[in-house]
Amino acid sequence: MRARERWGRLRPGDRHALLAAAAVVGIGVVLVLLGSSPAHALMLTTLGVAGVVLWHRTGYAGDTVWPRVPDVRRDGNRRDVSDLGWSVLGRDGRVTVTAARRVRHLTERRLAHHGIDDLADPGAATHLARLLGPRAARTVHDLVTDGRLPTPAELDTWLAALDRLDQALTTHATPDRPDGGTPR
């Protein structure tokens, strides 16, 4: 009766730990009976009991819930530039649809000043090649007609062509200021 009274006075967590330790010792005995070497069975049982003791003493109660970090919006464009930089390249190494759509929209706005209203128009291909260059015009054509996303090198060529187009429209360009006279 004394053993039963002692068992009843234990906290529920202690009872669970003792039952788990007894189960680990029982598994060690079963390992020896099944033919495992006593040294290995003793080592595994000792590790199991140590694990149960550590689990009981640390009070592990499951996965920890991390506190939510507040979303702080800072002034400036640093976050926008970072988001844009991460959103340009996809997993396949090509430019993402979102970035290609934004550059296409930018191209449409720039070329509207030169009389090109529809990039998909086959008649505008020669005019487009004259304004942007053959490689950038081919990249634009492939995106508009086939939906083929450009590679990073093609995007770089395309953006450089748009920059050259803007510089041609800028009256501030001088030979000693190749950047078009933009302040740094």
Short mmCIF file of all heavy atoms in Angstrom, two decimals, residues 37-69:
data_model
loop_
_atom_site.label_atom_id
_atom_site.label_comp_id
_atom_site.label_asym_id
_atom_site.label_seq_id
_atom_site.Cartn_x
_atom_site.Cartn_y
_atom_site.Cartn_z
N SER A 37 23.45 -7.18 -28.41
CA SER A 37 24.51 -7.32 -27.43
C SER A 37 24.14 -6.51 -26.19
O SER A 37 23.54 -5.44 -26.28
CB SER A 37 25.84 -6.84 -28.00
OG SER A 37 25.83 -5.43 -28.13
N PRO A 38 24.48 -7.03 -25.00
CA PRO A 38 24.13 -6.31 -23.78
C PRO A 38 24.76 -4.91 -23.72
O PRO A 38 24.15 -3.98 -23.19
CB PRO A 38 24.68 -7.20 -22.66
CG PRO A 38 24.78 -8.55 -23.27
CD PRO A 38 25.03 -8.34 -24.71
N ALA A 39 25.94 -4.73 -24.28
CA ALA A 39 26.58 -3.42 -24.25
C ALA A 39 25.77 -2.41 -25.07
O ALA A 39 25.54 -1.28 -24.63
CB ALA A 39 28.00 -3.52 -24.80
N HIS A 40 25.31 -2.83 -26.24
CA HIS A 40 24.51 -1.92 -27.06
C HIS A 40 23.16 -1.65 -26.40
O HIS A 40 22.67 -0.51 -26.42
CB HIS A 40 24.31 -2.51 -28.46
CG HIS A 40 25.51 -2.41 -29.32
ND1 HIS A 40 26.24 -3.50 -29.69
CD2 HIS A 40 26.13 -1.34 -29.89
CE1 HIS A 40 27.25 -3.13 -30.45
NE2 HIS A 40 27.21 -1.81 -30.57
N ALA A 41 22.54 -2.66 -25.87
CA ALA A 41 21.24 -2.47 -25.22
C ALA A 41 21.38 -1.53 -24.01
O ALA A 41 20.53 -0.67 -23.79
CB ALA A 41 20.66 -3.81 -24.79
N LEU A 42 22.46 -1.70 -23.24
CA LEU A 42 22.70 -0.83 -22.08
C LEU A 42 22.93 0.61 -22.52
O LEU A 42 22.40 1.55 -21.92
CB LEU A 42 23.88 -1.36 -21.26
CG LEU A 42 24.24 -0.53 -20.02
CD1 LEU A 42 23.10 -0.58 -19.01
CD2 LEU A 42 25.53 -1.04 -19.41
N MET A 43 23.70 0.78 -23.59
CA MET A 43 23.97 2.13 -24.08
C MET A 43 22.67 2.79 -24.56
O MET A 43 22.38 3.94 -24.21
CB MET A 43 24.96 2.09 -25.24
CG MET A 43 25.25 3.45 -25.83
SD MET A 43 26.10 3.43 -27.41
CE MET A 43 24.94 2.62 -28.45
N LEU A 44 21.86 2.09 -25.34
CA LEU A 44 20.61 2.66 -25.83
C LEU A 44 19.64 2.94 -24.69
O LEU A 44 18.95 3.97 -24.69
CB LEU A 44 19.97 1.73 -26.86
CG LEU A 44 20.69 1.65 -28.22
CD1 LEU A 44 20.06 0.58 -29.10
CD2 LEU A 44 20.65 2.99 -28.91
N THR A 45 19.59 2.06 -23.70
CA THR A 45 18.71 2.28 -22.55
C THR A 45 19.17 3.49 -21.76
O THR A 45 18.35 4.31 -21.33
CB THR A 45 18.69 1.02 -21.65
OG1 THR A 45 18.28 -0.09 -22.45
CG2 THR A 45 17.74 1.18 -20.50
N THR A 46 20.49 3.61 -21.56
CA THR A 46 21.02 4.75 -20.82
C THR A 46 20.71 6.06 -21.56
O THR A 46 20.31 7.05 -20.94
CB THR A 46 22.54 4.61 -20.62
OG1 THR A 46 22.79 3.36 -19.98
CG2 THR A 46 23.11 5.73 -19.79
N LEU A 47 20.89 6.07 -22.87
CA LEU A 47 20.56 7.26 -23.65
C LEU A 47 19.07 7.58 -23.57
O LEU A 47 18.67 8.75 -23.47
CB LEU A 47 20.98 7.08 -25.11
CG LEU A 47 22.47 7.21 -25.40
CD1 LEU A 47 22.75 6.87 -26.87
CD2 LEU A 47 22.95 8.60 -25.09
N GLY A 48 18.24 6.55 -23.62
CA GLY A 48 16.80 6.76 -23.53
C GLY A 48 16.38 7.33 -22.18
O GLY A 48 15.58 8.26 -22.10
N VAL A 49 16.94 6.78 -21.10
CA VAL A 49 16.62 7.29 -19.76
C VAL A 49 17.12 8.72 -19.61
O VAL A 49 16.44 9.58 -19.05
CB VAL A 49 17.20 6.36 -18.67
CG1 VAL A 49 17.09 6.99 -17.29
CG2 VAL A 49 16.47 5.02 -18.67
N ALA A 50 18.33 9.00 -20.13
CA ALA A 50 18.85 10.37 -20.06
C ALA A 50 17.94 11.33 -20.84
O ALA A 50 17.67 12.45 -20.40
CB ALA A 50 20.27 10.42 -20.61
N GLY A 51 17.44 10.89 -21.98
CA GLY A 51 16.52 11.72 -22.75
C GLY A 51 15.23 11.99 -21.99
O GLY A 51 14.72 13.11 -22.00
N VAL A 52 14.71 10.97 -21.32
CA VAL A 52 13.47 11.15 -20.54
C VAL A 52 13.71 12.11 -19.38
O VAL A 52 12.89 12.99 -19.10
CB VAL A 52 12.95 9.78 -20.03
CG1 VAL A 52 11.86 9.96 -18.98
CG2 VAL A 52 12.43 8.96 -21.19
N VAL A 53 14.86 11.97 -18.70
CA VAL A 53 15.18 12.86 -17.58
C VAL A 53 15.33 14.30 -18.07
O VAL A 53 14.80 15.24 -17.46
CB VAL A 53 16.43 12.37 -16.84
CG1 VAL A 53 16.93 13.41 -15.85
CG2 VAL A 53 16.14 11.06 -16.11
N LEU A 54 16.04 14.49 -19.17
CA LEU A 54 16.20 15.83 -19.72
C LEU A 54 14.86 16.42 -20.14
O LEU A 54 14.56 17.59 -19.90
CB LEU A 54 17.16 15.82 -20.92
CG LEU A 54 18.64 15.71 -20.59
CD1 LEU A 54 19.45 15.57 -21.87
CD2 LEU A 54 19.10 16.93 -19.80
N TRP A 55 14.04 15.61 -20.77
CA TRP A 55 12.72 16.07 -21.21
C TRP A 55 11.88 16.49 -20.00
O TRP A 55 11.22 17.52 -20.01
CB TRP A 55 12.04 14.96 -21.99
CG TRP A 55 10.60 15.18 -22.28
CD1 TRP A 55 10.06 16.15 -23.06
CD2 TRP A 55 9.51 14.41 -21.79
NE1 TRP A 55 8.70 16.03 -23.09
CE2 TRP A 55 8.34 14.96 -22.31
CE3 TRP A 55 9.42 13.30 -20.95
CZ2 TRP A 55 7.08 14.45 -22.04
CZ3 TRP A 55 8.18 12.78 -20.69
CH2 TRP A 55 7.03 13.36 -21.22
N HIS A 56 11.97 15.70 -18.93
CA HIS A 56 11.19 16.00 -17.73
C HIS A 56 11.74 17.22 -16.99
O HIS A 56 11.00 18.07 -16.54
CB HIS A 56 11.19 14.77 -16.80
CG HIS A 56 10.52 15.02 -15.48
ND1 HIS A 56 9.18 15.26 -15.37
CD2 HIS A 56 11.02 15.09 -14.23
CE1 HIS A 56 8.88 15.46 -14.10
NE2 HIS A 56 9.98 15.36 -13.39
N ARG A 57 13.06 17.32 -16.88
CA ARG A 57 13.65 18.41 -16.10
C ARG A 57 13.58 19.76 -16.82
O ARG A 57 13.54 20.79 -16.18
CB ARG A 57 15.11 18.09 -15.76
CG ARG A 57 15.29 16.87 -14.88
CD ARG A 57 14.66 17.03 -13.54
NE ARG A 57 15.46 17.95 -12.75
CZ ARG A 57 15.08 18.47 -11.62
NH1 ARG A 57 13.91 18.18 -11.12
NH2 ARG A 57 15.85 19.29 -10.96
N THR A 58 13.64 19.76 -18.15
CA THR A 58 13.59 21.04 -18.86
C THR A 58 12.18 21.55 -19.04
O THR A 58 11.98 22.71 -19.37
CB THR A 58 14.24 20.92 -20.26
OG1 THR A 58 13.56 19.92 -21.01
CG2 THR A 58 15.71 20.61 -20.14
N GLY A 59 11.21 20.70 -18.85
CA GLY A 59 9.82 21.14 -18.97
C GLY A 59 9.40 21.40 -20.40
O GLY A 59 8.61 22.31 -20.67
N TYR A 60 9.93 20.65 -21.33
CA TYR A 60 9.58 20.84 -22.73
C TYR A 60 8.09 20.60 -22.91
O TYR A 60 7.55 19.58 -22.53
CB TYR A 60 10.39 19.87 -23.60
CG TYR A 60 10.05 19.98 -25.07
CD1 TYR A 60 10.47 21.06 -25.81
CD2 TYR A 60 9.30 19.00 -25.70
CE1 TYR A 60 10.16 21.18 -27.14
CE2 TYR A 60 8.99 19.10 -27.03
CZ TYR A 60 9.42 20.19 -27.75
OH TYR A 60 9.10 20.30 -29.07
N ALA A 61 7.43 21.58 -23.51
CA ALA A 61 5.98 21.47 -23.65
C ALA A 61 5.54 21.56 -25.11
O ALA A 61 4.40 21.84 -25.39
CB ALA A 61 5.30 22.59 -22.85
N GLY A 62 6.42 21.38 -26.05
CA GLY A 62 6.04 21.44 -27.45
C GLY A 62 6.79 22.54 -28.15
O GLY A 62 7.71 23.15 -27.62
N ASP A 63 6.40 22.80 -29.36
CA ASP A 63 7.06 23.83 -30.16
C ASP A 63 6.80 25.21 -29.59
O ASP A 63 5.72 25.55 -29.15
CB ASP A 63 6.57 23.77 -31.60
CG ASP A 63 7.07 22.53 -32.31
OD1 ASP A 63 8.13 22.03 -31.91
OD2 ASP A 63 6.40 22.08 -33.25
N THR A 64 7.82 26.01 -29.64
CA THR A 64 7.74 27.38 -29.14
C THR A 64 7.11 28.26 -30.21
O THR A 64 7.39 28.12 -31.39
CB THR A 64 9.15 27.90 -28.82
OG1 THR A 64 9.75 27.01 -27.89
CG2 THR A 64 9.11 29.28 -28.26
N VAL A 65 6.28 29.16 -29.79
CA VAL A 65 5.67 30.12 -30.70
C VAL A 65 6.48 31.41 -30.62
O VAL A 65 6.61 32.00 -29.54
CB VAL A 65 4.20 30.39 -30.33
CG1 VAL A 65 3.61 31.43 -31.25
CG2 VAL A 65 3.40 29.10 -30.37
N TRP A 66 7.04 31.81 -31.74
CA TRP A 66 7.87 33.01 -31.77
C TRP A 66 6.98 34.24 -31.81
O TRP A 66 5.95 34.25 -32.46
CB TRP A 66 8.77 32.99 -33.00
CG TRP A 66 9.81 31.93 -32.92
CD1 TRP A 66 9.72 30.67 -33.39
CD2 TRP A 66 11.08 32.03 -32.29
NE1 TRP A 66 10.86 29.97 -33.11
CE2 TRP A 66 11.72 30.80 -32.44
CE3 TRP A 66 11.75 33.06 -31.63
CZ2 TRP A 66 12.99 30.56 -31.95
CZ3 TRP A 66 13.02 32.81 -31.15
CH2 TRP A 66 13.63 31.57 -31.31
N PRO A 67 7.39 35.28 -31.13
CA PRO A 67 6.58 36.51 -31.16
C PRO A 67 6.64 37.14 -32.55
O PRO A 67 7.66 37.03 -33.24
CB PRO A 67 7.24 37.42 -30.12
CG PRO A 67 8.64 36.90 -30.00
CD PRO A 67 8.56 35.42 -30.27
N ARG A 68 5.57 37.77 -32.95
CA ARG A 68 5.52 38.41 -34.27
C ARG A 68 6.25 39.75 -34.21
O ARG A 68 5.98 40.58 -33.36
CB ARG A 68 4.08 38.63 -34.68
CG ARG A 68 3.94 39.25 -36.05
CD ARG A 68 2.52 39.17 -36.55
NE ARG A 68 2.27 40.00 -37.68
CZ ARG A 68 2.62 39.73 -38.92
NH1 ARG A 68 3.26 38.60 -39.15
NH2 ARG A 68 2.34 40.54 -39.91
N VAL A 69 7.18 39.91 -35.15
CA VAL A 69 7.95 41.14 -35.23
C VAL A 69 7.07 42.20 -35.90
O VAL A 69 6.46 41.94 -36.94
CB VAL A 69 9.24 40.93 -36.05
CG1 VAL A 69 10.02 42.21 -36.20
CG2 VAL A 69 10.09 39.86 -35.39
#
